[in-house]
Amino acid sequence: MDADVFDDPRLTVTGLFFEAHEGLIAKLAPTMERAGLSPLDFGALMRLTRSPGGRLRMTDLAAQLFLSTSGVTRVVDRLQRGGLVRRESSPDDRRSTYAVLTAEGTGRLRGVLADHLDDIERWFTSLYTPEQLDTLVTDLRTLRDAVHPHAAKNTAPPSATSV
C-alpha cells in the first residue's frame, strides 16, 4: 500500500474532529459526574428539557442519541430510578411510550448547568471569535443534518414497516 494514502487530508480532518470531540467530552465529563450524571445521561436529559413539554417518544430519544431501543431503555431505566425522568404511555398509540423529564430532573440540570456552561466557555467557545463560532455552528449543522438528520426534527427515522 502506498504510504501517501495515510497522509490523505480527509484522514487528518476526521482524525482532528474525533480527537477534539473526545478531548472535549473528557474536559466536560467531571462536572457532569459530580452531579451524578454520565455524559449520556446528561445528553438524554438535555434532549428532553429542550423538547416540547420536556418529553420525547422513546424511539425519538433513541434516534437522537444514536442508541438502539434497548440502549435507550437502559438509559431511561437508570434516569427513572434516580427520579429524573418518568415514562408515560401515549394516549394515542399504545405501542408508544414517552420519556418525560421530572421536576427533579430539571432541578439536577439546573444545578449543574452553570458549571457546565463555564466548562464549555473555557474549553470550547472562548477559543473562537463570534464570527468563527457562527461559521462553526453553520458547518456543524450541515454535517449533523447529513449524518444524523433526525436529531433536529424530534423524530425517529421511518421504520421499514411504516412505509
Side-chain angles (χ1 to χ4, degrees):
M1 183 176 271
D2 185 6
D4 291 338
V5 72
F6 296 113
D7 291 329
D8 190 306
R10 294 171 294 187
L11 294 173
T12 302
V13 72
T14 55
L16 286 168
F17 180 81
F18 293 139
E19 288 175 29
H21 173 265
E22 292 163 6
L24 186 58
I25 293 298
K27 296 294 188 187
L28 301 178
T31 296
M32 295 175 219
E33 290 165 358
R34 282 192 300 276
L37 300 169
S38 71
L40 186 56
D41 295 340
F42 184 85
L45 293 173
M46 285 301 298
R47 289 285 182 171
L48 291 171
T49 197
R50 294 173 62 119
S51 296
R55 57 189 268 140
L56 281 171
R57 286 184 318 162
M58 294 282 286
T59 53
D60 294 337
L61 184 58
Q64 290 184 25
L65 295 173
F66 264 97
L67 294 174
S68 65
T69 53
S70 61
V72 79
T73 296
R74 285 189 296 274
V75 171
V76 170
D77 284 348
R78 183 171 55 247
L79 294 171
Q80 187 171 16
R81 281 191 303 275
L84 306 178
V85 301
R86 70 177 184 277
R87 283 185 172 84
E88 286 182 3
S89 297
S90 170
D92 304 323
D93 182 357
R94 293 183 322 165
R95 297 170 296 171
S96 292
T97 301
Y98 286 87
V100 182
L101 188 66
T102 64
E104 188 173 338
T106 301
R108 181 78 62 89
L109 281 175
R110 284 190 196 286
V112 72
L113 199 54
D115 289 340
H116 182 64
L117 289 171
D118 287 346
D119 289 346
I120 291 171
E121 179 70 19
R122 178 178 181 193
W123 297 109
F124 187 33
T125 57
S126 69
L127 304 176
Y128 298 93
T129 67
E131 295 79 19
Q132 289 172 319
L133 274 175
D134 287 344
T135 300
L136 181 60
V137 168
T138 299
D139 293 344
L140 288 173
R141 280 200 172 109
T142 298
L143 176 59
R144 188 271 321 267
D145 291 349
V147 300
H148 194 21
H150 302 287
K153 296 182 178 118
N154 284 337
T155 59
S159 68
T161 59
S162 66
V163 175

